[in-house]
Amino acid sequence: MTFHPKMPYATGLHQSTRDLPAAGEPFVFTPENLARLEEIATHYPPDRRRSALLPALYLVQKQQGYVSRHAMQYLATIIGVTPAEVEDVVSYYSMFYAKPVGKYVLQVCRTLSCALNGAERVTETISRTLGIKPGETDASGTFTLLEVECLGACDRAPVILVNDHWHECQKPEDVERLIEDLKSKGPGVLTGCHLCVEKR
């Protein structure tokens, strides 16, 4: 018996891309992103170019919003690995998405510290406010809600990661305000590093 929710890692946004249709246009880096990747690759020996795969995936996701099958095939060619090796990395790390996500990805930590401090109520409030369940994106394509494992700020639980910005000590009323602020004011309301103590 466990009190911890089951995390469906094999489904949803992190499922194998072999199960996803190869739709859309072929992926190609913008000249700026290609130049950035080539600069990153210089930090590794020429025979270790594959070491640039993680930063390359971040560049793909920044450019496209997620990592499509086309992008995986493209990266495999320019990094010098197989498409399966790229997919292994995308499907292993929870910060990469194999399907489109909203402009704002709300990741609610459900590990012990956050769970004990009310993460479930935070998730329920987000679900009710946006009309979506964990793993879904709202009809406008603005918000995606995910439940994730530890976000590394246990002393500030419950924690939500919005894109790359931590929001700590969250209560249900806090997330309602956060969602409204994101809708009305945009990304300027995001607070950044979890080491910054948020003002109340």
Side-chain angles (χ1 to χ4, degrees):
M1 180 175 174
T2 178
F3 294 101
H4 197 277
K6 184 176 180 181
M7 304 300 284
Y9 290 116
T11 62
L13 297 167
H14 302 107
Q15 73 191 68
S16 170
T17 57
R18 294 183 191 98
D19 300 329
L20 301 175
E25 295 294 318
F27 178 88
V28 178
F29 271 136
T30 63
E32 296 79 16
N33 282 338
L34 183 57
R36 177 70 180 126
L37 174 60
E38 292 305 325
E39 189 278 324
I40 290 168
T42 66
H43 296 263
Y44 305 101
D47 63 334
R48 300 286 183 206
R49 185 176 171 87
R50 66 175 43 226
S51 299
L53 181 55
L54 281 175
L57 286 166
Y58 276 113
L59 288 172
V60 168
Q61 193 155 278
K62 183 176 180 183
Q63 178 175 319
Q64 176 171 266
Y66 70 108
V67 184
S68 65
R69 285 179 65 184
H70 290 302
M72 291 184 206
Q73 292 163 355
Y74 173 77
L75 276 189
T77 301
I78 65 173
I79 291 287
V81 296
T82 67
E85 289 174 300
V86 179
E87 183 185 350
D88 284 347
V89 174
V90 172
S91 62
Y92 179 80
Y93 289 104
S94 62
M95 67 279 230
F96 298 123
Y97 311 115
K99 292 195 301 188
V101 293
K103 180 179 180 181
Y104 303 110
V105 180
L106 310 175
Q107 299 183 58
V108 182
C109 177
R110 291 294 302 271
T111 309
L112 186 60
S113 296
C114 288
L116 291 174
N117 283 287
E120 186 175 350
R121 292 188 303 279
V122 169
T123 300
E124 288 170 354
T125 301
I126 295 171
S127 291
R128 186 178 63 254
T129 303
L130 296 175
I132 58 175
K133 297 175 185 173
E136 295 180 347
T137 300
D138 71 334
S140 71
T142 306
F143 295 97
T144 297
L145 173 59
L146 301 175
E147 292 179 311
V148 298
E149 294 295 343
C150 185
L151 290 173
C154 301
D155 61 321
R156 306 283 291 156
V159 179
I160 300 174
L161 186 65
V162 184
N163 297 349
D164 296 323
H165 303 267
W166 273 265
H167 286 265
E168 304 144 345
C169 303
Q170 293 295 290
K171 300 180 187 72
E173 58 270 23
D174 296 328
V175 295
E176 288 179 326
R177 185 168 56 251
L178 175 62
I179 290 167
E180 286 309 311
D181 285 348
L182 286 168
K183 286 179 179 177
S184 62
K185 300 174 185 173
V189 304
L190 298 174
T191 58
C193 178
H194 73 285
L195 297 176
C196 299
V197 177
E198 294 182 8
K199 305 286 188 284
R200 297 214 176 263

